[in-house]
Structures are given as C-alpha cells and as structure tokens.
Amino acid sequence: SCEETEIQAGEDWKKDHGYNFEVPVSETPKLTKPVPLRSMGRFSHEAVAIDPDTGIAYQTEDEGNGLIYRFIPNVKGKFHKGGILQALCFKSEHSMDTRNWKENKILLNELHDVEWITLDDVESPENDLRFRGAKNGAAIFARGEGMWFDKGKVYFTCTNGGKKKLGQLFIYTPSPSEGKNNENNNPGKIKLLVEPQDSEIMDMCDNITVAPWGDMIICEDGKGTDYLLGIQPDGTIYKLAKNALNSKEFAGGVFSPDGSILFVNIQLPGFTLAITGPWQG
C-alpha cells in the first residue's frame, strides 16, 4: 500500500509520511502493525508492481516531474529487510524528458534501451529525491500513476503526459538479466504505446490493469465524464464502461482470479462495482 504524500513530522504530524507498507492478504480481515518500508524511498508514491520471478518492485511517483523507480530487495519477498532503490534512465539521453509537453522527444512505439541509476539518501529529508535523481540522469515522467505487471512486462500510465496533457501509456520490458551486474549487456527496453491528442479518445489515464485476454484496462480521471477504457496491444483504444453516476473517477480496476469479474471503484461516494462477463477477447 502506498502513501501518496511527502508530509513531514511537525506541528500536525508525529511522523514523516511518504512510504510504502506491506498489508497481509487473508480471508479474515485483521489489523496489522504499520511498518514503513523505508528502503523503498520516501516520495509521493502512487502504485507498485512486482515481478514475481525476480521479486523486483517497480514504482510510480505522482508528480509532474516524477521518476520511475525500481527496488531490488536484499531478500526476495521480504522488503522490510532492505534493498537498493534505483531510477529509470534512457541510455540514449540522460535526464530525458518523456512528457512531450514542449518537444516531441519520445515517439510512439520506438524502443529505447534503459539503464538504472542507484539513488542515495532515499528517505529524502528535503523532499528532493526526484530532483537529485533527474540531475544524475534519471528520466522525467508526467505524473506516473497506475502500474501493472503482466507476462513479463511492466505497464504504467502518466496522467497528464503528452502535448495535450491527456495522458501516456508506457510499457517496460525488463532485461533477461534484470537487476544483475550484466544487465547492461542486454538492457531492458521501454516504449510509449499511447499518447492521444483528443480527449474524446482518452482523457487523463490513471489506474491500469491487464485483462485476461491481453488488453489493458484504463481508469480515466479526466475533466468531465470518466470512462473505463480498453487498449489493445497495438494501441487501439475503445470505451468499455461509462460512469453514469457522477463525474468522479474510476479507480482500482482488477479482475477476479478466474477472470470472470472486473472489480472497479468510483472514488466518490466510494462504491465498488462488480462487472460480470462473459468477456470476449
């Protein structure tokens, strides 16, 4: 679970915030002691996606000049035992601005080799982790939000990326030697799959999941009526569902383990919906 804040201890707060926490999954809900995972960094966390094979955790940062992070744990599956926090960097150009706000530097479907730079002082008492990372070569992203790992790929959204600030969808394919000393010999690769120029097609993508048939399912957080969108592997976008209740965002879309039910929230008034199939890929 992520804290989407950088609030520090002071008059109104007893402790610094901006950490991840592990929440045990069980059939019987119960309270657990909140232990901040300090080595994963203190920043405005939005989402975490974990590669079950390597145990590496990938993280988004909900800032207009945020970074994409990965955390390599010292012990697989035990994040509280510490690890190394790194930020994504384009090999072709350090401190790459992927937002495409002023200049179209990242083109659709172009593959870019990636390297990762190790960060220090990750609890960031000055709330400057992303600034130090970018200065040292990390790529800059526009409000990294939803993130999902599926079949060897990391999918993530940038809510107001692109010339029209309508959002971007990136796909990162980890190296076969991800997190190992020789990964630069066969580096991971990133590409921009979606960057619409029309709000009727997509208006500020947020949370993301991957459907059993391989399409990406996006929750909009736009300025008007919000939709659940489907995105095919070739980048084709279609409308899946409309929030006919109000103008609040969809959030937290996820399929049941058997793939038959899509659960999704409407942030306010706090509804959880169960959308049943049969689904057709």
Side-chain angles (χ1 to χ4, degrees), residues 65-158:
N65 51 4
L67 310 183
I68 296 297
Y69 301 87
R70 80 173 179 187
F71 177 71
I72 305 175
N74 291 332
V75 180
K76 181 180 176 181
K78 297 185 182 298
F79 292 166
H80 63 280
K81 290 187 176 293
I84 298 171
L85 185 67
Q86 299 179 317
L88 187 149
C89 175
F90 282 65
K91 274 195 164 188
S92 60
E93 181 179 333
H94 282 196
S95 306
M96 174 75 82
D97 188 343
T98 72
R99 298 172 295 185
N100 286 348
W101 286 348
K102 297 179 180 179
E103 183 180 353
N104 203 34
K105 301 190 76 170
I106 306 295
L107 302 180
L108 291 174
N109 292 307
E110 278 192 351
L111 283 175
H112 299 268
D113 288 346
V114 162
E115 58 188 1
W116 294 87
I117 61 170
T118 299
L119 303 171
D120 56 18
D121 203 10
V122 300
E123 291 199 56
S124 189
E126 302 299 324
N127 289 340
D128 62 350
L129 187 61
R130 66 187 184 278
F131 300 117
R132 289 187 282 113
K135 183 178 180 180
N136 290 329
I140 301 166
F141 292 86
R143 291 190 59 196
E145 295 220 56
M147 180 175 266
W148 196 264
F149 186 93
D150 186 73
K151 296 181 176 64
K153 297 182 185 298
V154 182
Y155 302 81
F156 65 92
T157 63
C158 292

Side-chain angles (χ1 to χ4, degrees), residues 42-58:
R42 194 182 73 82
F43 54 89
S44 187
H45 292 270
E46 175 72 23
V48 178
I50 298 170
D51 182 338
D53 291 332
T54 64
I56 293 174
Y58 301 88

Side-chain angles (χ1 to χ4, degrees), residues 20 24 32 34 60 63 66 69-70 78 100-101 158 246 260 280:
N20 290 333
T32 188
T60 56
E63 296 282 1
Y69 301 87
R70 80 173 179 187
K78 297 185 182 298
N100 286 348
W101 286 348
C158 292
N246 56 33
S260 65
Q280 294 183 355

